Amino acid sequence: MIRLLISLYLVVFLSIIAINQGSELIWQQLAYQQPDDLRHASQVAKSLQASLSVSKQLPSSLRHYPLDEVAWLAEQKAQLLQGDIVTTYTEKNNALLSFLLTGTDTVVQLGPFKPVEQVLIPKYLLKLSSFVLLALLLMFWLRPLWRDLMQFKHVTEQLAKGQLNISIAPSRFSAIATLTSQFHSMATKVANLMNNQKHLVNAVSHELRTPLARLKFALAMLEPQTPESVSQMSQDVQEMEFLIDEMLGYARLEMAQNTLKFESFDIVALLDEQIAKLKRTSTKHIELVCPYKTLFFTAERQYMARVLQNLLGNADKYGQSKVYVQLQKTPNHVKIVIADDGQGIAETDRTKVFEPFSRLEKSRNKSSGGFGLGLAIVDKIISWHGGRCEIETSKWGGAQFVLTLPKQNQA
């Protein structure tokens, strides 16, 4: 911070000094070298006043008259009596120079002289050029800083999209070159950690399938001898297989963002399709409130189907007898509400349920099922679409999930 402040202060300070000195030099060389008859005449009048006061002789070409012949202002008369040069102007704005001969009441008048031409336009142009030059100098100082900041933005966007090929070329002239290098190191470590995590999850999940397959074969061989024990162990093996499938599915999501294909599809048809699948296995009353026959919406259809499948499955699993689905359209968003009449989710737990492997039950059991990845998958997919998933309390006291998705291409 101190380095950045000192660097900016020195650039601005030195630039202002250089611009001021340069502007003054240019102004003196260009503006004041123009002919200035009045200033030159004033110098001549002073010299003439000094010489006439000594010789007491007036050339015939000089106009002179008594002091009281003209109605002078009090200030002008006082200046004349003090020996100063008084400047007056005619109706045509021509200048007249008057001075009083020393020891007499005779006023000598020189002129008329043309008025001094205004030089405002060149003056303001010079000032404007100075400000433009200062802006260019500041842009020259800011360019390496802007370049590094744009690299920060690019790298964070890459990490957010799951692209792990991080490359930064910090500028040595930038005021934040050290910070850029440290950020590069941090981003590389984060990318390596993410890459290692993916490989670890995939390797562990795949490697577990081989011993599980052997266990299933062994259990099949033992089933005629101890069917009860084998049945319980088979359920445990199936639960492990389901967990592996869930972990693989979640791991694939980390890499899927780079291959998303957004397209326009009918969200009403997708809802009908998922509800029809649920009705095949569910005994609960499923109510759909949708005032639209078709509603086209731009998103990744495959993953939106996964979101609806997970939320509908949760509502069916934890609801008592009802599952409620509603589709709403606003000027800027599409909203999908999925509710049930179960026990609901406490406000303190509503952010935790979106964390991977997070479950409200303290123990995992076969009756409740699940491994805490369903809502984490929902949250990740919705975030890809720039939307949000909020949990509320339904009118029956159960959980109500509200999906809010930005309207991309709705007809």
Side-chain angles (χ1 to χ4, degrees), residues 169-184:
S171 173
R172 60 177 181 172
F173 301 106
S174 172
I176 59 171
T178 304
L179 178 61
T180 306
S181 300
Q182 293 175 351
F183 182 81
H184 183 209

Side-chain angles (χ1 to χ4, degrees), residues 142 171 311 317:
L142 285 172
S171 173
L311 292 179
K317 183 189 303 180

Side-chain angles (χ1 to χ4, degrees), residues 349-367:
D349 296 327
R350 289 177 181 177
T351 55
K352 298 178 184 177
V353 295
F354 293 110
E355 298 174 1
F357 300 102
S358 175
R359 281 168 47 100
L360 299 184
E361 296 90 346
K362 297 301 180 183
S363 62
R364 292 185 170 91
N365 54 73
K366 301 180 183 67
S367 60

Side-chain angles (χ1 to χ4, degrees), residues 29-89:
Q29 293 295 324
L30 297 181
Y32 284 106
Q33 282 188 358
Q34 298 177 0
D36 191 346
D37 293 343
L38 183 58
R39 186 176 59 178
H40 179 69
S42 298
Q43 295 175 353
V44 172
K46 289 182 180 179
S47 300
L48 186 62
Q49 182 185 24
S51 62
L52 291 177
S53 62
V54 174
S55 62
K56 303 295 184 180
Q57 296 177 358
L58 290 176
S60 58
S61 59
L62 289 178
R63 182 186 175 190
H64 57 279
Y65 49 83
L67 176 64
D68 295 334
E69 186 176 317
V70 177
W72 301 96
L73 297 176
E75 295 82 357
Q76 294 175 332
K77 190 172 183 179
Q79 288 180 343
L80 289 172
L81 292 175
Q82 291 176 3
D84 295 335
I85 307 296
V86 175
T87 304
T88 56
Y89 295 90

